Amino acid sequence: MIFEYIKLSVRELLNNKLRSFLSLIGIVIGVAVVFIIFSISDIANVAITNQITGTNGSVNINYVKDRTDKFEVLNQSMNSNFGGMGSKQYVFDLNDLEDLKQIKGVEDALAVATAYENVKVNRDTFQVAIRSAPENFMDFYEFKMVAGNSFDAYPKDERINLAIINDKILDDYLQIPAEQAIGQKIKIKNRLFTIAGVTNTPNQNLGTMIAIDQEAYDLMYSKGTIQYLSVKVKPGEDLETTSQLAVDKLNEIHGYQNTKNGYALEDLSFFIQQVTQVTGILSLVMGIIASISLLVAGIGVMNIMLVSVVERTREIGVKRAIGASKSAIRIQFIVESCLLTLIGGIIGVTIGIGVIKIALMVLNMQLPINGSYVAFALVFSITLGILFGYLPSKRAANLNIIEAIQSE
């Protein structure tokens, strides 16, 4: 029986193509905008999380005075995560790296030492992070050379005077091609280094960076001033479980198992939660505003359906005269209204998916389309049809049969 109602509704919509099209526009735009807003919220949350935590499967291990104080752990985590900032501490032992590498699931371990200095290239002076570059530095962060060579292309005795910069320095300060930077001199703490290579920036948390050989770093700064350790987890292994094993191992080695102070994993979950909560509120507000356009479109659908009732008064009277019940008339108009809003919802979702796919391609991100948003948009569209189709359907069902047949 329902298929007969759908068939009649399709025929009626096709008989008034222009009117149906104009009614669809508001629904299509409203659904598309709401879908895009909530999908953008998901994209923003993923982008923020990746920006904060990095994406190469590595986790930082910090030393804190009170592991039970979430705010202290958060503060140390943010310091280490955003470019290695933080106080120099003599609480890490380079010998621990080999023990960490033996843990199941750990691919590599790195001691991170960073200093912030004003450096000079030609006439340009700017402040950047100076990072020590041990043997596994390039592989750990998965750097790729944009121009020039990495340290391992040179004999050990030559590396002490060489530096590698990342492409963000070219973009933010030098504004020269990568090839042109090779061979230029960098002055760090009154010591000259030659740019041997330019890398990409696989992890945006690294910021603008100059890497120098470990021996050169130790000569310029006190040896053993390590900000934090970083462990890289093998692909397929659980990141949280494996990194926690690394922390437990360090605390066991140094006797911090039953103390407040000791080693702790970076914990940016609270910070991420606060940021994503703000983006969620903004998306909700924008979604509510966009939903108003859907309500306006729904009122437009109701108006069109009321006009349709007036135009089809005689038809309704004839149907009632030959035995059609009030409920049958009511259902017919509600189905017609729902079909109209559902078609608008499907078109709107399709447009929304297309826009989001294009945005993901531009941002070079991989994120599945949220099926719950699709279902919500379609259910909401049908609900609009029921709500705004009910009044016209009730009016049609309650028409006086004789007056309806006599109408012109």
Side-chain angles (χ1 to χ4, degrees):
M1 188 69 177
I2 188 66
F3 294 106
E4 187 65 27
Y5 288 125
I6 294 175
K7 183 178 178 181
L8 291 172
S9 298
V10 170
R11 185 177 65 186
E12 185 60 34
L13 293 176
L14 291 176
N15 287 338
N16 298 276
K17 295 183 181 67
L18 180 60
R19 188 169 66 190
S20 300
F21 172 75
L22 294 175
S23 300
L24 280 176
I25 292 177
I27 300 295
V28 169
I29 294 175
V31 170
V33 170
V34 171
F35 181 86
I36 291 170
I37 286 173
F38 286 108
S39 296
I40 287 176
S41 176
D42 285 351
I43 294 174
N45 289 341
V46 171
I48 290 169
T49 302
N50 289 343
Q51 180 72 15
I52 293 173
T53 62
T55 57
N56 71 329
S58 63
V59 178
N60 300 332
I61 299 175
N62 302 287
Y63 176 84
V64 293
K65 294 180 180 178
D66 187 353
R67 287 179 286 169
T68 63
D69 188 339
K70 291 186 177 181
F71 288 100
E72 184 179 349
V73 175
L74 173 64
N75 182 57
Q76 287 291 339
S77 298
M78 291 180 66
N79 283 339
S80 65
N81 204 270
F82 290 102
M85 296 180 287
S87 59
K88 299 177 175 65
Q89 303 180 70
Y90 295 88
V91 292
F92 296 101
D93 190 336
L94 291 176
N95 295 324
D96 295 337
L97 295 178
E98 293 305 317
D99 291 321
L100 292 177
K101 293 176 185 178
Q102 301 306 314
I103 296 174
K104 181 181 180 298
V106 173
E107 181 178 328
D108 203 357
L110 182 74
V112 179
T114 308
Y116 280 79
E117 297 288 352
N118 288 318
V119 302
K120 188 174 183 179
V121 180
N122 297 326
R123 296 180 179 178
D124 298 308
T125 301
F126 44 88
Q127 187 180 63
V128 295
I130 311 300
R131 288 182 175 267
S132 65
E135 293 289 340
N136 62 335
F137 179 77
M138 301 292 288
D139 291 335
F140 187 91
Y141 288 113
E142 300 175 2
F143 285 112
K144 293 181 180 178
M145 300 306 299
V146 176
N149 299 299
S150 60
F151 291 119
D152 56 14
Y154 298 90
K156 277 188 172 294
D157 58 340
E158 292 183 19
R159 299 177 189 177
I160 199 169
N161 297 315
L162 300 178
I164 292 176
I165 66 175
N166 65 344
D167 51 8
K168 285 182 68 64
I169 288 183
L170 300 180
D171 297 336
D172 295 349
Y173 301 112
L174 301 182
Q175 279 91 42
I176 59 175
E179 292 77 9
Q180 190 176 330
I182 305 302
Q184 293 204 33
K185 301 296 183 180
I186 294 181
K187 192 174 185 180
I188 307 173
K189 294 188 71 172
N190 294 319
R191 180 171 178 172
L192 286 178
F193 291 84
T194 302
I195 298 178
V198 178
T199 73
N200 67 336
T201 309
N203 187 333
Q204 294 301 313
N205 293 338
L206 293 170
T208 51
M209 176 207 75
I210 298 175
I212 60 176
D213 183 65
Q214 182 71 59
E215 185 178 350
Y217 190 92
D218 290 340
L219 288 172
M220 294 176 64
Y221 305 95
S222 179
K223 188 174 182 178
T225 55
I226 299 168
Q227 273 78 36
Y228 59 92
L229 299 182
S230 189
V231 292
K232 187 174 183 180
V233 178
K234 294 178 181 178
E237 298 286 345
D238 185 76
L239 186 68
E240 185 175 350
T241 301
T242 305
S243 52
Q244 186 61 52
L245 289 175
V247 170
D248 293 342
K249 182 67 175 179
L250 281 177
N251 285 319
E252 178 186 343
I253 293 172
H254 295 281
Y256 292 131
Q257 291 172 298
N258 300 312
T259 60
K260 276 190 174 183
N261 62 317
Y263 302 102
L265 283 176
E266 65 175 4
D267 184 8
L268 298 168
S269 57
F270 177 76
F271 181 68
I272 293 172
Q273 181 182 358
Q274 297 303 307
V275 175
T276 54
Q277 185 176 357
V278 172
T279 60
I281 292 173
L282 290 175
S283 297
L284 180 61
V285 172
M286 293 173 66
I288 291 173
I289 294 173
S291 297
I292 294 174
S293 67
L294 272 175
L295 295 177
V296 173
I299 293 173
V301 170
M302 181 172 65
N303 185 49
I304 292 299
M305 294 304 297
L306 287 172
V307 171
S308 180
V309 170
V310 173
E311 291 179 346
R312 296 156 61 185
T313 299
R314 184 177 179 81
E315 174 193 331
I316 295 169
V318 172
K319 287 182 177 180
R320 292 282 284 115
I322 61 177
S325 64
K326 286 186 176 182
S327 61
I329 299 297
R330 190 179 299 114
I331 291 173
Q332 180 182 339
F333 276 87
I334 289 178
V335 168
E336 189 174 319
S337 175
C338 288
L339 186 62
L340 184 63
T341 54
L342 178 61
I343 292 173
I346 292 173
I347 297 173
V349 167
T350 303
I351 293 173
I353 291 175
V355 171
I356 294 301
K357 288 285 188 183
I358 294 172
L360 290 173
M361 288 176 60
V362 172
L363 296 172
N364 195 25
M365 291 179 62
Q366 297 292 330
L367 188 68
I369 298 298
N370 195 322
S372 62
Y373 295 160
V374 177
F376 172 77
L378 297 182
V379 170
F380 190 70
S381 298
I382 294 174
T383 304
L384 277 179
I386 295 174
L387 291 176
F388 292 101
Y390 177 76
L391 182 60
S393 68
K394 182 179 179 181
R395 182 172 181 177
N398 291 335
L399 286 175
N400 183 282
I401 298 176
I402 296 175
E403 292 180 356
I405 293 176
Q406 292 178 342
S407 67
E408 293 295 333

